[in-house]
Amino acid sequence: SYVLTQPPSVSVAPGKTAKISCVEKNIGTKSVHWYQQKPGQAPVLVMYYDSDRPSGIPDRFSGSNVGDTATLTISWVEAGDEADYYCQLWDNNIYHWVFGGGTKLTVL
Amino acid sequence: ELQLVESGGGLVRPGGSLRLSCAASGFPFSTNTMSWVRQAPGKGLEWVSSITAESTYIYQADSVKGRFTISRDNAKNSLFLQMTSLRAEDAGVYYCARDQGPQGYYMDVWGKGTTVTVSS
């Protein structure tokens, strides 16, 4: 089964680029999705199928998935991007939905 | 407007039972796989269980197998989670979510959650 490893925290200055990784062996062969969760709120889908953005998500958000690492990239980071971010995939071998442990993005 | 509204959370003693409900509106409920995801206080997201559109297939996390049962009533646009033999580690916020797939399921609509507290 898959275990998705994310860094517990990432810090970035406003206007800079944040990269949040999600690591698992051969994750590049799976579709990875990303959620943003602000304190006291429900998660919000920000990226699906590795690099597709839902409507309403700014194009500052982008995604990639190659080899053993999926990455959510947030360009021109704003204070409002401060949140927890979770990667997720569907393990079709055992029909389980799998979440990463989450990354707290801090905007300095 | 797409909406999922959970209810049924509350305080329950260890070993007790609780039934969560999720009311869906704004989309054809009967065509989507639906899921429950939980979040313990201060912790990350944990998938709990999912059910396909016609209830043909049900999937569960190992941590709840044999204790939790997911079901749905498409005529009433409702999703349920029957929880029994509750443990302290089952406490948290329970979210109902709509799945999209099937080429790698993801959750595109989430409710605001309902809180389950397990304590004596």
Side-chain angles (χ1 to χ4, degrees):
Chain A
S1 61
Y2 289 84
V3 177
L4 305 181
T5 301
Q6 298 183 236
S9 63
V10 168
S11 298
V12 63
K16 299 299 185 182
T17 297
K19 290 184 180 291
I20 301 172
S21 60
C22 178
V23 176
E24 170 61 287
K25 186 174 175 59
N26 295 323
I27 195 174
T29 64
K30 310 294 290 184
S31 293
V32 175
H33 320 294
W34 292 89
Y35 304 87
Q36 175 194 70
Q37 186 181 34
K38 296 182 178 178
Q41 297 184 19
V44 172
L45 179 73
V46 295
M47 198 67 57
Y48 63 102
Y49 292 150
D50 301 335
S51 58
D52 288 342
R53 266 179 296 106
S55 61
I57 301 302
D59 60 7
R60 299 184 298 103
F61 287 76
S62 61
S64 64
N65 185 14
V66 179
D68 296 340
T69 304
T71 304
L72 177 69
T73 300
I74 309 172
S75 304
W76 301 104
V77 166
E78 302 173 355
D81 298 330
E82 192 162 278
D84 294 326
Y85 291 83
Y86 296 90
C87 59
Q88 176 256 318
L89 59 75
W90 182 61
D91 184 343
N92 63 340
N93 292 316
I94 59 173
Y95 298 96
H96 276 36
W97 283 243
V98 182
F99 285 96
T103 298
K104 181 176 181 58
L105 176 67
T106 299
V107 181
L108 300 170
Chain B
E1 180 192 2
L2 299 173
Q3 195 169 17
L4 297 171
V5 179
E6 302 92 338
S7 61
L11 173 64
V12 61
R13 295 185 186 279
S17 299
L18 210 55
R19 188 187 195 220
L20 306 183
S21 300
C22 171
S25 59
F27 67 97
F29 178 76
S30 63
T31 64
N32 284 94
T33 292
M34 298 293 296
S35 294
W36 288 98
V37 175
R38 68 184 180 184
Q39 187 169 36
K43 302 296 185 183
L45 301 174
E46 179 189 12
W47 170 71
V48 173
S49 187
S50 301
I51 184 169
T52 56
E54 295 298 327
S55 305
T56 305
Y57 298 104
I58 287 173
Y59 310 111
Q60 293 179 300
D62 293 344
S63 58
V64 305
K65 200 165 289 185
R67 300 187 300 122
F68 290 12
T69 303
I70 191 172
S71 63
R72 64 192 296 163
D73 184 338
N74 287 345
K76 296 183 177 179
N77 291 339
S78 295
L79 178 72
F80 306 101
L81 186 68
Q82 178 68 49
M83 304 186 294
T84 63
S85 303
L86 282 160
R87 307 166 180 166
E89 55 265 35
D90 296 318
V93 178
Y94 282 71
Y95 297 101
C96 162
R98 183 179 80 168
D99 285 276
Q100 296 287 3
Q103 285 81 16
Y105 282 103
Y106 61 93
M107 298 157 181
D108 68 335
V109 181
W110 295 67
K112 295 186 186 302
T114 187
T115 300
V116 173
T117 303
V118 183
S119 175
S120 53

